[in-house]
Amino acid sequence: MARIEFAKGVKEEVVPDVRLTRSKDGSNGRAIFYFQNPQALDPEFGEEITGMYLIDEEGEMVTREVKGKFVNGQAEAVEAIYPIKSEKEWDRFMRFMERYAEENGLGFSKA
Amino acid sequence: MARIEFAKGVKEEVVPDVRLTRSKDGSNGRAIFYFQNPQALDPEFGEEITGMYLIDEEGEMVTREVKGKFVNGQAEAVEAIYPIKSEKEWDRFMRFMERYAEENGLGFSKA
């Protein structure tokens, strides 16, 4: 079980692209999630976006770095950045991604 | 440092797409690497493909499940399957992939 939520208890069904960046020494980095037209931007969503929650059987990770992308005044996408600050955090994050990727048909490919 | 080789000591420069599959109970699965026109298929390659080697600072993983894909008698792609048999192997494999993905501009996206 692995899911992403923008408001607690509400699963986002749109599956993002995810890019990884990492510092030269490997200790820290960022995962950049890009959601095209996510449900969370739907006018009917009816919940406040309080962050991006990554939830699996081990627990929950959260980032507050969530931004809307607007084109001609219309919200079109959400970009969320999950910062990773240690080897241990990388391992934990990748266990989530591995579960999420497998459940949602994501693979690794050229960005 | 993370690299893939088809013959020991010869880095494959073509970057694959990688799909992950996993059993329901999560304990085992497979990573399926797909290389379009890899250097290893070049008539000038001059080395025998002995397996697919995944190499990083932690060491080396190898699979012998490497197959050529032929179209009209022409070798066009290589598919290699890396089997994963435990949680520990998943963690190790994902540490490799995280390094390889970051160095080669791979991200997670819909297969």
Side-chain angles (χ1 to χ4, degrees):
Chain A
M1 186 283 286
R3 56 196 276 153
I4 297 177
E5 297 178 356
F6 289 110
K8 293 301 292 286
V10 186
K11 181 183 175 187
E12 174 59 53
E13 301 283 355
V14 169
V15 175
D17 289 336
V18 184
R19 285 184 301 124
L20 306 173
T21 68
R22 197 166 183 173
S23 65
K24 276 268 182 287
D25 73 357
S27 61
N28 66 80
R30 311 192 304 168
I32 300 144
F33 289 71
Y34 191 85
F35 298 81
Q36 191 72 39
N37 294 313
Q39 294 172 313
L41 288 184
D42 193 302
E44 324 248 290
F45 184 59
E47 304 274 349
E48 197 187 348
I49 294 180
T50 54
M52 180 179 71
Y53 304 88
L54 310 176
I55 301 166
D56 65 13
E57 55 263 53
E58 289 185 57
E60 178 186 299
M61 294 168 279
V62 63
T63 176
R64 307 293 171 189
E65 276 192 71
V66 179
K67 283 185 303 197
K69 296 262 183 182
F70 293 81
V71 175
N72 299 326
Q74 292 269 321
E76 285 216 337
V78 162
E79 187 183 89
I81 294 174
Y82 185 77
I84 301 168
K85 295 188 180 112
S86 67
E87 279 289 339
K88 202 174 156 202
E89 283 188 23
W90 271 110
D91 289 354
R92 171 67 185 97
F93 175 76
M94 291 302 278
R95 287 199 299 278
F96 169 82
M97 278 309 301
E98 168 205 318
R99 292 172 182 129
Y100 186 83
E102 211 277 308
E103 287 178 26
N104 292 281
L106 292 187
F108 287 97
S109 59
K110 273 280 186 197
Chain B
M1 190 281 288
R3 56 196 275 152
I4 298 176
E5 298 177 356
F6 288 111
K8 292 303 290 286
V10 186
K11 181 182 176 188
E12 175 59 53
E13 301 284 353
V14 169
V15 175
D17 290 336
V18 185
R19 285 184 300 122
L20 305 173
T21 68
R22 198 166 183 172
S23 65
K24 276 268 183 288
D25 72 359
S27 61
N28 66 81
R30 311 191 306 166
I32 299 142
F33 289 70
Y34 191 86
F35 298 79
Q36 191 73 37
N37 293 313
Q39 295 171 313
L41 289 184
D42 194 302
E44 324 247 293
F45 184 58
E47 304 273 348
E48 197 187 347
I49 294 179
T50 54
M52 181 179 70
Y53 303 88
L54 310 176
I55 301 167
D56 64 13
E57 55 262 52
E58 289 185 58
E60 177 186 300
M61 295 168 278
V62 63
T63 176
R64 307 292 171 191
E65 274 193 71
V66 179
K67 283 185 303 195
K69 295 262 183 183
F70 292 82
V71 176
N72 298 326
Q74 293 268 323
E76 286 216 335
V78 162
E79 187 182 270
I81 294 175
Y82 186 79
I84 301 168
K85 297 190 179 110
S86 67
E87 278 288 340
K88 203 176 155 200
E89 283 188 21
W90 270 110
D91 289 354
R92 172 68 186 99
F93 175 75
M94 292 302 277
R95 288 199 299 278
F96 169 82
M97 277 311 300
E98 167 206 319
R99 292 174 184 129
Y100 186 82
E102 210 276 310
E103 288 178 27
N104 292 282
L106 293 185
F108 286 97
S109 59
K110 273 280 186 198

